[in-house]
Amino acid sequence: MVLGMILKTFNQFIRIDSRFNVDDILLMCSKMDDFFSNPLVVLKDDSTSTVILSELNGQKYVIKRANTKNIAHIFKRALKTSRAQKNWDNARRLNKIGIPAIQAIAMMEERWGIFKGRSYFVCPYIDGVDARQFFARDAQPNTTWATVAQNICTMIQTLAQHKLSHRDLNLSNIILVSNVPYLIDLDAMTHYKIPWVASWAAKKEQRRFMQNWQNDPKPHNSAAKLFQALLS
């Protein structure tokens, strides 16, 4: 069971896992604009989201901000579950079933009463290499590739067994630490209650995963053959 604290005002909603340094996280939440103005690294920045690497008191954090595109987008998302909340819920869900993934430290929503604006999800930095880089075309295939490929396929199969679909299973959304795959970017992940829908989604997930080699010139073709054999 995750112990946590919730702070709610007219303008903000904050949820924090109290196993982490609550004072540091509250400070971070109070100065989000400063952190985004002065990040260690900008990991992603587009109209949908901005992801940064930041550091506070010697600890590295990844912060993902769900951006609002325009007024119409604000009203469209205002009453829906925020992307930060989805990341929080899905990170905890994966933790419960034993799939390595990002840890949910905190989430924050900008609010105007019941209406939501931008949202923020905070997790620890995972010090590893993403699978896209690991299986790069200019890398030398080795015996470790088979181990890592099997571990990723086991993860995909475990998701399917629990009627879960990540729905954005790019190689860059899998971080490898000592050959163990960790899932990141969980706000699109979906749990299906109807078995046949879950089965259909699992097959679609596998097809989408294999498209990593069709849509991206970087991954090595030898890795594609490994995954094709394991997932067939």
Side-chain angles (χ1 to χ4, degrees):
M1 181 178 180
V2 176
L3 300 177
M5 62 179 295
I6 293 175
L7 299 175
K8 187 176 181 180
T9 68
F10 186 83
N11 296 315
Q12 266 187 346
F13 177 85
I14 299 173
R15 188 190 298 268
I16 301 173
D17 183 337
S18 56
R19 294 175 299 178
F20 295 91
N21 190 318
V22 174
D23 289 339
D24 278 0
I25 303 306
L26 286 173
L27 175 62
M28 182 184 296
C29 289
S30 70
K31 297 185 176 182
M32 276 298 186
D33 287 343
D34 292 342
F35 279 92
F36 275 84
S37 296
N38 300 283
L40 288 178
V41 181
V42 177
L43 302 173
K44 177 184 178 181
D45 188 18
D46 59 32
S47 61
T48 302
S49 60
T50 303
V51 184
I52 63 168
L53 175 65
S54 289
E55 186 171 0
L56 180 61
N57 293 332
Q59 297 296 317
K60 290 183 178 179
Y61 301 94
V62 173
I63 310 173
K64 181 174 184 177
R65 182 181 68 201
N67 297 326
T68 51
K69 300 177 184 178
N70 49 47
I71 295 297
H73 186 249
I74 291 173
F75 280 105
K76 180 181 178 182
R77 300 293 308 175
L79 296 175
K80 294 184 177 181
T81 303
S82 71
R83 293 173 67 186
Q85 180 71 62
K86 290 178 180 178
N87 268 300
W88 174 278
D89 292 341
N90 288 327
R92 294 184 63 186
R93 186 192 295 272
L94 293 182
N95 178 260
K96 286 180 181 178
I97 63 178
I99 294 180
I102 51 177
Q103 287 182 279
I105 293 181
M107 57 152 290
M108 183 178 80
E109 296 169 349
E110 296 176 347
R111 289 190 175 186
W112 194 80
I114 63 171
F115 298 100
K116 305 179 184 77
R118 295 182 302 181
S119 66
Y120 303 80
F121 176 74
V122 183
C123 64
Y125 170 66
I126 300 175
D127 190 7
V129 58
D130 71 55
R132 182 174 182 265
Q133 182 178 345
F134 182 82
F135 290 114
R137 186 173 294 276
D138 57 359
Q140 183 63 41
N142 56 68
T143 54
T144 308
W145 279 27
T147 300
V148 172
Q150 180 62 69
N151 291 343
I152 291 175
C153 288
T154 298
M155 177 190 68
I156 293 172
Q157 291 159 358
T158 304
L159 285 170
Q161 289 166 6
H162 288 85
K163 300 182 178 65
L164 292 168
S165 177
H166 183 275
R167 298 182 63 216
D168 192 18
L169 206 55
N170 298 317
L171 288 170
S172 56
N173 282 334
I174 301 171
I175 305 297
L176 301 171
V177 180
S178 300
N179 299 336
V180 175
Y182 284 72
L183 272 179
I184 65 172
D185 202 6
L186 307 178
D187 48 278
M189 195 174 83
T190 301
H191 177 241
Y192 299 94
K193 296 181 180 180
I194 302 173
W196 72 264
V197 176
S199 178
W200 170 82
K203 292 175 182 178
K204 183 178 180 181
E205 181 104 297
Q206 290 188 14
R207 289 195 300 270
R208 172 65 186 85
F209 180 73
M210 293 308 301
Q211 286 174 5
N212 278 291
W213 284 269
Q214 297 174 21
N215 302 335
D216 187 346
K218 184 170 183 177
H220 203 293
N221 287 334
S222 295
K225 294 176 182 178
L226 269 176
F227 283 105
Q228 189 70 57
L230 290 166
L231 291 172
S232 60

